[in-house]
Protein backbone atom coordinates (compact mmCIF):
# COMPACT_ATOMS: atom_id res chain seq x y z
CA UNK A 1 0.00 0.00 0.00
CA UNK A 2 1.35 3.41 -1.01
CA UNK A 3 0.13 6.56 0.71
CA UNK A 4 -0.12 9.95 -0.94
CA UNK A 5 0.10 12.86 1.50
CA UNK A 6 -0.94 16.32 0.38
CA UNK A 7 -3.02 19.29 1.49
CA UNK A 8 -4.97 22.01 -0.35
CA UNK A 9 -3.08 24.62 1.73
CA UNK A 10 0.07 23.73 -0.23
CA UNK A 11 -1.55 25.40 -3.26
CA UNK A 12 -1.93 28.67 -1.33
CA UNK A 13 1.78 29.47 -1.06
CA UNK A 14 2.06 32.17 -3.74
CA UNK A 15 5.61 33.31 -4.53
CA UNK A 16 4.23 35.63 -7.23
CA UNK A 17 3.43 35.48 -10.93
CA UNK A 18 6.37 34.43 -13.04
CA UNK A 19 8.02 32.61 -10.12
CA UNK A 20 8.99 29.08 -11.25
CA UNK A 21 7.90 27.48 -7.94
CA UNK A 22 4.22 27.99 -8.71
CA UNK A 23 1.05 26.36 -7.35
CA UNK A 24 0.57 24.98 -10.90
CA UNK A 25 3.45 22.59 -10.22
CA UNK A 26 1.61 20.80 -7.43
CA UNK A 27 -1.62 20.96 -9.41
CA UNK A 28 0.12 19.18 -12.30
CA UNK A 29 1.52 16.48 -10.01
CA UNK A 30 -1.84 15.88 -8.33
CA UNK A 31 -3.59 15.65 -11.70
CA UNK A 32 -1.02 13.10 -12.89
CA UNK A 33 -1.68 11.06 -9.72
CA UNK A 34 -5.46 11.25 -10.05
CA UNK A 35 -7.92 8.56 -8.99
CA UNK A 36 -8.35 7.15 -12.49
CA UNK A 37 -4.70 6.35 -13.03
CA UNK A 38 -3.69 5.72 -9.40
CA UNK A 39 -6.79 4.16 -7.85
CA UNK A 40 -4.71 2.15 -5.38
CA UNK A 41 -3.09 5.17 -3.71
CA UNK A 42 -4.26 5.76 -0.14
CA UNK A 43 -4.87 9.53 -0.09
CA UNK A 44 -4.27 11.26 3.23
CA UNK A 45 -4.53 14.93 4.21
CA UNK A 46 -1.25 16.15 5.70
CA UNK A 47 -1.36 17.41 9.29
CA UNK A 48 0.62 20.46 10.43
CA UNK A 49 4.10 19.92 11.79
CA UNK A 50 4.29 20.91 15.45
CA UNK A 51 6.62 23.55 16.82
CA UNK A 52 8.51 20.83 18.67
CA UNK A 53 9.03 18.85 15.46
CA UNK A 54 10.30 21.92 13.58
CA UNK A 55 12.62 22.98 16.41
CA UNK A 56 14.52 19.70 16.09
CA UNK A 57 16.14 21.12 12.95
CA UNK A 58 15.38 24.86 12.84
CA UNK A 59 16.24 27.72 15.17
CA UNK A 60 13.45 29.60 17.00
CA UNK A 61 14.37 32.69 14.94
CA UNK A 62 13.84 30.72 11.72
CA UNK A 63 10.40 29.60 12.90
CA UNK A 64 9.46 33.15 13.86
CA UNK A 65 10.60 34.48 10.50
CA UNK A 66 8.29 32.07 8.63
CA UNK A 67 5.35 31.79 11.01
CA UNK A 68 5.11 35.35 12.31
CA UNK A 69 5.73 37.12 9.02
CA UNK A 70 3.03 39.58 8.05
CA UNK A 71 3.29 39.63 4.26
CA UNK A 72 1.16 42.01 2.25
CA UNK A 73 -0.59 40.99 -0.94
CA UNK A 74 2.67 41.22 -2.89
CA UNK A 75 4.36 38.91 -0.42
CA UNK A 76 7.41 39.39 1.74
CA UNK A 77 10.68 38.78 -0.06
CA UNK A 78 13.24 36.90 2.09
CA UNK A 79 15.87 36.77 -0.67
CA UNK A 80 15.99 36.91 -4.48
CA UNK A 81 14.21 33.55 -4.78
CA UNK A 82 12.25 33.04 -1.60
CA UNK A 83 8.96 34.75 -0.90
CA UNK A 84 6.39 34.49 1.89
CA UNK A 85 2.76 35.12 0.93
CA UNK A 86 -0.28 35.15 3.23
CA UNK A 87 -0.80 31.39 2.65
CA UNK A 88 2.84 30.38 3.02
CA UNK A 89 3.05 29.60 6.74
CA UNK A 90 0.15 27.15 6.58
CA UNK A 91 1.57 25.54 3.41
CA UNK A 92 5.00 25.18 5.02
CA UNK A 93 3.51 23.62 8.18
CA UNK A 94 1.55 21.10 6.10
CA UNK A 95 4.56 20.30 3.89
CA UNK A 96 6.78 19.46 6.86
CA UNK A 97 3.87 17.79 8.65
CA UNK A 98 3.29 15.50 5.68
CA UNK A 99 6.78 14.03 5.95
CA UNK A 100 6.48 13.58 9.72
CA UNK A 101 3.10 11.85 9.35
CA UNK A 102 4.45 9.67 6.54
CA UNK A 103 7.39 8.61 8.72
CA UNK A 104 4.97 7.67 11.50
CA UNK A 105 2.82 5.72 9.01
CA UNK A 106 5.65 3.63 7.56
CA UNK A 107 7.11 3.03 11.02
CA UNK A 108 3.70 1.83 12.25
CA UNK A 109 3.31 -0.42 9.21
CA UNK A 110 0.19 1.48 8.09
CA UNK A 111 1.78 1.63 4.64
CA UNK A 112 5.05 0.47 3.11
CA UNK A 113 5.88 3.66 1.28
CA UNK A 114 4.60 7.21 0.99
CA UNK A 115 4.89 10.11 -1.42
CA UNK A 116 4.37 13.64 -0.09
CA UNK A 117 3.01 15.87 -2.85
CA UNK A 118 3.69 19.15 -1.09
CA UNK A 119 5.18 22.60 -1.51
CA UNK A 120 7.07 24.74 -0.68
CA UNK A 121 10.01 22.37 -1.19
CA UNK A 122 12.58 22.00 1.57
CA UNK A 123 16.11 20.87 0.84
CA UNK A 124 17.74 24.32 0.58
CA UNK A 125 16.41 25.49 3.95
CA UNK A 126 19.22 25.38 6.52
CA UNK A 127 18.86 25.23 10.29
CA UNK A 128 18.61 29.02 10.43
CA UNK A 129 17.76 30.30 6.94
CA UNK A 130 14.87 29.83 4.51
CA UNK A 131 16.33 30.00 0.98
CA UNK A 132 16.06 28.73 -2.59
CA UNK A 133 12.22 28.57 -2.64
CA UNK A 134 12.34 26.57 0.64
CA UNK A 135 10.90 27.61 4.01
CA UNK A 136 11.20 24.55 6.27
CA UNK A 137 13.41 21.57 5.44
CA UNK A 138 10.60 19.03 5.19
CA UNK A 139 12.73 15.91 4.76
CA UNK A 140 15.15 16.97 7.51
CA UNK A 141 12.22 17.48 9.89
CA UNK A 142 11.05 13.95 9.02
CA UNK A 143 14.53 12.50 9.54
CA UNK A 144 14.95 14.20 12.92
CA UNK A 145 11.53 12.88 13.93
CA UNK A 146 12.56 9.35 12.95
CA UNK A 147 15.74 9.59 15.04
CA UNK A 148 14.08 11.07 18.11
CA UNK A 149 10.60 9.62 18.14
CA UNK A 150 11.28 6.21 16.61
CA UNK A 151 14.80 5.89 18.01
CA UNK A 152 16.29 4.87 14.68
CA UNK A 153 20.07 4.55 14.44
CA UNK A 154 20.44 4.79 10.65
CA UNK A 155 18.31 7.01 8.41
CA UNK A 156 19.30 7.53 4.77
CA UNK A 157 18.36 10.71 2.90
CA UNK A 158 18.56 10.30 -0.86
CA UNK A 159 18.44 13.52 -2.92
CA UNK A 160 18.18 13.32 -6.71
CA UNK A 161 16.95 16.90 -7.21
CA UNK A 162 19.19 18.63 -9.78
CA UNK A 163 20.26 21.14 -7.11
CA UNK A 164 22.42 20.22 -4.14
CA UNK A 165 20.47 20.00 -0.88
CA UNK A 166 22.75 22.39 0.99
CA UNK A 167 20.21 22.77 3.79
CA UNK A 168 19.95 19.06 4.47
CA UNK A 169 23.72 18.72 4.43
CA UNK A 170 24.05 21.73 6.75
CA UNK A 171 21.61 20.23 9.24
CA UNK A 172 23.09 16.72 9.36
CA UNK A 173 26.78 17.04 8.48
CA UNK A 174 27.79 16.17 12.04
CA UNK A 175 25.05 13.53 12.63
CA UNK A 176 26.45 10.07 11.92
CA UNK A 177 22.98 8.48 12.26
CA UNK A 178 22.03 10.17 8.99
CA UNK A 179 23.63 9.37 5.63
CA UNK A 180 22.97 12.09 3.04
CA UNK A 181 23.53 11.04 -0.57
CA UNK A 182 23.05 13.51 -3.43
CA UNK A 183 23.53 13.69 -7.16
CA UNK A 184 23.28 17.23 -8.52
CA UNK A 185 24.44 19.42 -11.36
CA UNK A 186 27.61 21.45 -10.76
CA UNK A 187 28.13 24.28 -11.32
CA UNK A 188 24.59 25.31 -10.39
CA UNK A 189 22.70 27.02 -7.55
CA UNK A 190 23.43 26.96 -4.61
CA UNK A 191 27.09 26.23 -5.44
CA UNK A 192 27.63 23.69 -2.65
CA UNK A 193 28.10 19.91 -2.76
CA UNK A 194 31.58 19.12 -4.09
CA UNK A 195 32.67 15.50 -3.66
CA UNK A 196 35.20 16.71 -1.08
CA UNK A 197 32.45 17.63 1.42
CA UNK A 198 32.00 14.41 3.41
CA UNK A 199 30.74 15.58 6.81
CA UNK A 200 31.73 12.97 9.39
CA UNK A 201 31.82 10.38 6.62
CA UNK A 202 28.04 10.65 6.33
CA UNK A 203 27.78 12.95 3.31
CA UNK A 204 28.20 11.61 -0.23
CA UNK A 205 28.07 14.20 -2.98
CA UNK A 206 28.15 13.35 -6.66
CA UNK A 207 28.37 16.58 -8.68
CA UNK A 208 27.47 16.07 -12.34
CA UNK A 209 28.58 18.36 -15.19
CA UNK A 210 25.91 20.15 -17.27
CA UNK A 211 24.75 17.91 -20.10
CA UNK A 212 24.98 14.67 -18.11
CA UNK A 213 22.45 12.18 -19.50
CA UNK A 214 20.75 8.94 -18.50
CA UNK A 215 23.71 6.63 -18.97
CA UNK A 216 26.18 8.56 -16.84
CA UNK A 217 23.49 9.32 -14.25
CA UNK A 218 22.63 5.64 -13.85
CA UNK A 219 26.30 4.73 -13.73
CA UNK A 220 27.03 7.12 -10.85
CA UNK A 221 24.10 5.74 -8.86
CA UNK A 222 24.88 2.11 -9.67
CA UNK A 223 28.63 2.44 -9.17
CA UNK A 224 28.93 4.90 -6.26
CA UNK A 225 25.78 6.12 -4.55
CA UNK A 226 23.66 2.96 -4.23
CA UNK A 227 26.61 0.91 -2.90
CA UNK A 228 27.22 3.57 -0.21
CA UNK A 229 23.54 3.41 0.71
CA UNK A 230 23.60 -0.39 0.94
CA UNK A 231 26.75 -0.29 3.09
CA UNK A 232 24.94 2.04 5.52
CA UNK A 233 22.04 -0.44 5.96
CA UNK A 234 19.38 2.26 6.53
CA UNK A 235 16.40 1.45 8.76
CA UNK A 236 14.40 4.08 6.86
CA UNK A 237 14.89 5.64 3.43
CA UNK A 238 13.83 9.27 2.97
CA UNK A 239 13.94 10.80 -0.49
CA UNK A 240 14.17 14.42 -1.60
CA UNK A 241 12.39 13.75 -4.87
CA UNK A 242 13.06 16.63 -7.24
CA UNK A 243 12.39 16.16 -10.91
CA UNK A 244 14.35 19.14 -12.27
CA UNK A 245 17.16 16.96 -13.67
CA UNK A 246 14.74 16.21 -16.53
CA UNK A 247 16.07 17.35 -19.92
CA UNK A 248 13.12 19.73 -20.41
CA UNK A 249 13.58 21.54 -17.10
CA UNK A 250 14.16 25.28 -17.58
CA UNK A 251 16.30 25.79 -14.46
CA UNK A 252 19.10 23.29 -15.14
CA UNK A 253 21.00 21.44 -17.84
CA UNK A 254 20.96 17.72 -17.07
CA UNK A 255 19.43 15.45 -19.68
CA UNK A 256 17.40 12.85 -17.80
CA UNK A 257 14.34 11.17 -19.27
CA UNK A 258 11.12 10.39 -17.41
CA UNK A 259 12.12 6.73 -17.21
CA UNK A 260 15.28 7.53 -15.25
CA UNK A 261 13.20 8.58 -12.25
CA UNK A 262 11.32 5.26 -12.33
CA UNK A 263 14.63 3.43 -12.70
CA UNK A 264 16.04 5.08 -9.59
CA UNK A 265 12.74 4.67 -7.73
CA UNK A 266 12.87 0.91 -8.30
CA UNK A 267 16.41 0.71 -6.97
CA UNK A 268 15.53 2.75 -3.89
CA UNK A 269 12.55 0.48 -3.21
CA UNK A 270 14.94 -2.43 -3.48
CA UNK A 271 17.31 -0.71 -1.02
CA UNK A 272 14.44 -0.15 1.40
CA UNK A 273 13.27 -3.76 1.04
CA UNK A 274 16.72 -5.19 1.77
CA UNK A 275 17.47 -3.09 4.87
CA UNK A 276 14.37 -1.22 6.04
CA UNK A 277 11.43 -3.62 5.68
CA UNK A 278 10.48 -1.58 2.61
CA UNK A 279 10.02 1.66 4.58
CA UNK A 280 10.52 4.64 2.29
CA UNK A 281 9.14 8.19 2.35
CA UNK A 282 9.60 10.53 -0.61
CA UNK A 283 8.82 14.23 -0.67
CA UNK A 284 8.49 16.51 -3.67
CA UNK A 285 11.29 19.03 -4.11
CA UNK A 286 11.90 20.73 -7.50
CA UNK A 287 10.74 20.25 -11.08
CA UNK A 288 9.79 23.31 -13.12
CA UNK A 289 8.60 22.07 -16.52
CA UNK A 290 5.00 21.23 -15.74
CA UNK A 291 4.63 18.40 -18.26
CA UNK A 292 7.98 16.79 -17.45
CA UNK A 293 7.35 17.20 -13.73
CA UNK A 294 3.93 15.57 -13.90
CA UNK A 295 5.11 12.65 -16.05
CA UNK A 296 8.27 12.10 -13.99
CA UNK A 297 6.46 12.22 -10.64
CA UNK A 298 3.84 9.77 -11.94
CA UNK A 299 6.52 7.38 -13.23
CA UNK A 300 8.35 7.63 -9.91
CA UNK A 301 5.22 7.00 -7.81
CA UNK A 302 4.36 4.06 -10.07
CA UNK A 303 7.81 2.61 -9.34
CA UNK A 304 7.10 2.73 -5.60
CA UNK A 305 4.26 0.25 -5.92
CA UNK A 306 5.86 -2.20 -8.37
ZN1 LIG B 1 15.94 21.69 -7.57
Amino acid sequence: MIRLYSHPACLEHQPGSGHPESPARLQAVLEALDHDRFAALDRVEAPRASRRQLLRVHTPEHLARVLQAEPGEDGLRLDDDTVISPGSAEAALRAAGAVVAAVDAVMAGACARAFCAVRPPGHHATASTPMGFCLFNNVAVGAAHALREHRLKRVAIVDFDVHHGNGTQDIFERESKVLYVSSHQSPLYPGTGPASQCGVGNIVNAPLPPGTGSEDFRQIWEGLLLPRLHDFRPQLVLVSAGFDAHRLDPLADLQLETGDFAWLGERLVQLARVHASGRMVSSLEGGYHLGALAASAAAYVQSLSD
Side-chain angles (χ1 to χ4, degrees):
M1 172 77 79
I2 311 297
R3 274 199 182 173
L4 175 65
Y5 284 86
S6 192
H7 196 282
C10 293
L11 296 165
E12 302 303 324
H13 165 58
Q14 305 273 5
S17 65
H19 195 290
E21 206 289 282
S22 66
R25 298 178 57 246
L26 180 55
Q27 200 77 60
V29 169
L30 291 173
E31 278 167 21
L33 299 175
D34 71 4
H35 284 276
D36 289 347
R37 273 168 287 185
F38 286 87
L41 282 180
D42 181 17
R43 291 156 203 275
V44 181
E45 201 158 88
R48 295 187 188 104
S50 71
R51 189 174 166 80
R52 191 167 54 91
Q53 290 161 353
L54 295 167
L55 284 172
R56 289 185 185 128
V57 307
H58 293 298
T59 62
E61 294 75 20
H62 183 129
L63 260 63
R65 213 169 155 204
V66 174
L67 299 177
Q68 288 161 32
E70 291 180 357
E73 270 179 36
D74 291 341
L76 173 69
R77 191 166 284 277
L78 301 183
D79 64 25
D80 285 349
D81 306 311
T82 316
V83 179
I84 292 191
S85 72
S88 298
E90 180 71 9
L93 288 170
R94 299 284 178 178
V99 182
V100 171
V103 166
D104 284 340
V106 300
M107 291 310 301
C111 62
R113 284 170 287 287
F115 185 80
C116 302
V118 293
R119 57 183 287 281
H123 73 156
H124 294 307
T126 69
S128 60
T129 315
M131 64 178 274
F133 313 165
C134 302
L135 299 180
F136 297 136
N137 194 315
N138 309 318
V139 167
V141 172
H145 181 75
L147 296 182
R148 183 70 61 86
E149 210 63 34
H150 298 283
R151 314 229 169 256
L152 297 190
K153 301 272 189 296
R154 296 181 308 280
V155 174
I157 300 179
V158 178
D159 188 336
F160 58 78
D161 187 280
V162 79
H163 303 94
H164 179 243
N166 62 294
T168 312
Q169 175 170 314
D170 173 76
I171 289 163
F172 292 121
E173 62 191 348
R174 281 173 292 279
E175 174 52 85
S176 59
K177 292 177 185 156
V178 173
L179 178 71
Y180 175 72
V181 170
S182 172
S183 67
H184 46 271
Q185 182 184 321
S186 177
L188 188 66
Y189 180 90
T192 52
S196 59
Q197 290 177 350
C198 304
V200 289
N202 67 326
I203 305 289
V204 187
N205 284 317
L208 306 171
T212 298
S214 302
E215 197 179 328
D216 290 337
F217 177 83
R218 293 186 187 204
Q219 207 160 34
I220 203 91
W221 279 94
E222 200 85 87
L224 172 68
L225 302 178
L226 287 163
R228 286 294 301 270
L229 285 160
H230 277 280
D231 286 348
F232 182 65
R233 297 182 296 115
Q235 297 163 293
L236 171 68
V237 178
L238 300 181
V239 185
S240 272
F243 300 97
D244 40 11
H246 193 283
R247 65 185 171 81
L248 295 177
D249 198 276
L251 297 197
D253 306 293
L254 294 197
Q255 300 292 322
L256 298 195
E257 305 287 344
T258 303
D260 293 316
F261 299 103
W263 176 87
L264 185 52
E266 284 167 23
R267 269 138 198 88
L268 295 175
V269 168
Q270 196 179 13
L271 171 80
R273 283 207 172 113
V274 170
H275 305 287
S277 308
R279 294 184 293 254
M280 176 170 158
V281 172
S282 304
S283 189
L284 180 65
E285 299 280 1
Y288 302 97
H289 180 286
L290 295 185
L293 167 63
S296 301
Y300 179 76
V301 171
Q302 184 64 52
S303 78
L304 302 181
S305 42
D306 291 344

